[in-house]
């Protein structure tokens, strides 16, 4: 299959940027979904050892992909410890 | 508030709304540029005297019209995602107000320091005084201090409602049995209007939201007055 793609790219070089952007976009989307599935505290994978990850969230952890203004490493816990 | 035959957004009353306005200007400019370019190409193609009009293959122009739109989309996506994450940030609110939707009025509760709660009904058109806005005025306004991060907890008592104030750039659905949180900072004093933004029955269009932003001393005087009355 790769040979067929390479042959097409040689005869139509305009397909190279197309391949780059489409596969790049697809890879970024897949990686973001994988990040959501694996690192989002709303998701529970291990019912025995870590049943409710949303109850183990520290104030210094950044769970979002990008933080504009807030520096999470400097935050302190506001509520009481249970 | 909005004025007659208004086309654009209301002036921003919060930093977030300013960001949204700037992004809208940016995205709209891109749209205008692309539309102008397409219009030019159409006119050029209709009026050309060239004989060789039916070219079937050109690698060069295909490369350009792949890379350029991709770059334009990235140029739009980066500020958009930045604002998306900015909207979710919560920066130590100084005041918490609960806005609860009912059929067909809002009720506000300020319970940080005392038990202040009141209902906010629309002023019917026949009771308006000259200068007041039809279908937008309410008998009791939600007063908040200026330049103060405010946390609004939105919920509903019966059916779905939505608490929206366009000038502040906020909208949050009021879901019965659920507490939704949104935060904002009002950066200038004034009176800002919004309307219920989720269909909720016969008088859905007649339950407006009025936020009055005042300096802290005025807010404190108002809340003392409201506590005496209730």
């Amino acid at each position: 299959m790769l040979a067929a793609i390479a042959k097409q790219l040689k005869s139509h070089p305009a397909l190279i940027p197309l391949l780059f952007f489409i596969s790049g976009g697809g890879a970024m989307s897949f990686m973001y979904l994988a990040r959501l599935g694996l690192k989002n505290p709303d998701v529970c994978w291990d019912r025995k050892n870590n049943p409710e990850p949303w109850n183990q969230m520290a104030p210094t952890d950044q769970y979002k992909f990008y933080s504009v203004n807030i520096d999470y490493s400097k935050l302190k816990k506001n509520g009481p410890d249970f | 508030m909005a004025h007659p035959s208004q086309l654009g957004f209301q002036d921003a009353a919060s930093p977030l709304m300013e960001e949204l306005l700037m992004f809208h200007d940016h995205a709209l400019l891109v749209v205008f540029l692309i539309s102008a370019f397409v219009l030019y190409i159409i006119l050029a193609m209709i009026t050309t005297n060239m004989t060789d009009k039916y070219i079937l293959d050109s690698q060069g122009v295909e490369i350009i019209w792949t890379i350029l739109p991709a770059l334009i989309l990235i140029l739009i996506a980066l500020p958009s995602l930045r604002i998306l994450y900015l909207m979710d940030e919560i920066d130590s609110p100084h005041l918490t107000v609960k806005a609860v939707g009912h059929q067909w009025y809002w009720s506000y509760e300020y319970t940080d320091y005392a038990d202040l709660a009141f209902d906010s009904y629309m002023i019917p058109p026949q009771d308006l005084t000259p200068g007041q806005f039809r279908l937008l005025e309410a008998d009791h306004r939600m007063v908040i201090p200026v330049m103060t991060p405010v946390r609004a907890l939105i919920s509903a008592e019966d059916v779905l409602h939505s608490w929206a104030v366009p000038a502040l750039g906020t909208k949050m659905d009021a879901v019965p049995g659920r507490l939704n949180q949104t935060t904002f900072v009002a950066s200038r004093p004034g009176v800002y209007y919004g309307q219920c933004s989720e269909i909720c029955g016969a008088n859905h269009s007649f339950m407006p939201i009025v936020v009055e932003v005042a300096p802290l001393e005025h807010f404190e005087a108002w809340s003392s007055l409201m506590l005496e009355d209730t």
Side-chain angles (χ1 to χ4, degrees):
Chain A
M1 206 191 49
L2 265 135
I5 294 177
K7 198 172 108 190
Q8 272 200 322
L9 289 184
K10 250 193 229 86
S11 61
H12 291 94
L15 289 174
I16 296 174
L18 189 71
L19 190 71
F20 172 72
F21 285 117
I22 298 292
S23 51
M28 287 199 294
S29 313
F30 178 75
M31 284 198 303
Y32 181 69
L33 283 175
R35 183 202 139 88
L36 268 186
L38 295 170
K39 291 190 71 182
N40 190 354
D42 291 338
V43 176
C44 167
W45 288 107
D46 190 357
R47 254 196 246 175
K48 210 178 287 189
N49 299 325
N50 192 11
E52 293 176 350
W54 51 89
N55 281 332
Q56 261 94 44
M57 289 170 70
T60 50
D61 289 334
Q62 180 187 322
Y63 291 98
K64 287 189 172 281
F65 177 64
Y66 173 49
S67 171
V68 187
N69 281 330
I70 296 188
D71 183 2
Y72 283 88
S73 60
K74 299 214 174 28
L75 292 184
K76 292 195 208 358
K77 185 169 175 176
N78 274 335
D81 290 318
F82 288 107
Chain B
M1 62 150 257
H3 56 77
S5 62
Q6 174 174 331
L7 289 179
F9 291 112
Q10 296 179 30
D11 288 339
S14 77
L16 180 66
M17 191 60 200
E18 286 174 37
E19 296 272 356
L20 287 168
L21 288 179
M22 289 195 288
F23 174 71
H24 180 260
D25 289 344
H26 167 75
L28 194 63
L29 185 64
V30 173
V31 167
F32 283 157
L33 288 173
I34 294 173
S35 308
F37 176 66
V38 169
L39 187 64
Y40 166 72
I41 295 292
I42 290 172
L43 291 172
M45 292 185 85
I46 291 174
T47 58
T48 186
N49 286 326
M50 282 166 39
T51 51
D52 199 6
K53 286 192 256 192
Y54 303 103
I55 302 170
L56 294 176
D57 178 42
S58 165
Q59 295 303 306
V61 69
E62 286 202 7
I63 289 178
I64 292 176
W65 72 37
T66 303
I67 294 181
L68 204 57
L71 290 178
I72 290 174
L73 285 175
I74 293 173
L75 204 64
I76 296 176
L78 289 178
S80 173
L81 288 172
R82 176 181 161 272
I83 294 181
L84 190 67
Y85 282 95
L86 193 64
M87 289 195 321
D88 280 347
E89 288 190 344
I90 300 168
D91 195 13
S92 327
H94 296 177
L95 178 69
T96 299
V97 185
K98 294 191 263 285
V100 183
H102 310 250
Q103 280 178 316
W104 287 279
Y105 62 97
W106 291 94
S107 64
Y108 299 106
E109 299 169 33
Y110 295 69
T111 47
D112 282 338
Y113 303 104
D115 276 330
L116 172 58
F118 55 89
D119 297 335
S120 174
Y121 280 84
M122 181 186 84
I123 297 180
Q126 56 267 29
D127 296 345
L128 290 170
T129 58
Q132 285 191 308
F133 302 120
R134 192 181 73 95
L135 306 186
L136 283 176
E137 299 284 357
D139 54 3
H140 295 112
R141 296 171 171 172
M142 175 178 134
V143 182
I144 54 172
V146 70
M147 288 302 294
T148 307
V150 172
R151 170 192 287 120
L153 295 173
I154 318 288
S155 186
E157 203 72 43
D158 34 42
V159 297
L160 292 177
H161 300 270
S162 186
W163 195 82
V165 183
L168 295 171
T170 48
K171 180 179 293 182
M172 185 52 76
D173 279 357
V175 181
R178 181 184 172 88
L179 202 59
N180 278 331
Q181 177 182 250
T182 182
T183 53
F184 56 88
V185 180
S187 41
R188 58 187 173 97
V191 182
Y192 308 110
Y193 297 89
Q195 294 175 291
C196 176
S197 302
E198 184 66 47
I199 187 79
C200 53
N203 287 348
H204 154 68
S205 316
F206 309 113
M207 47 182 292
I209 297 136
V210 188
V211 177
E212 181 177 327
V213 181
L216 186 60
E217 311 79 52
H218 294 253
F219 167 74
E220 289 171 342
W222 167 84
S223 49
S224 312
L225 216 69
M226 291 294 285
L227 278 165
E228 279 169 30
D229 283 346
T230 54

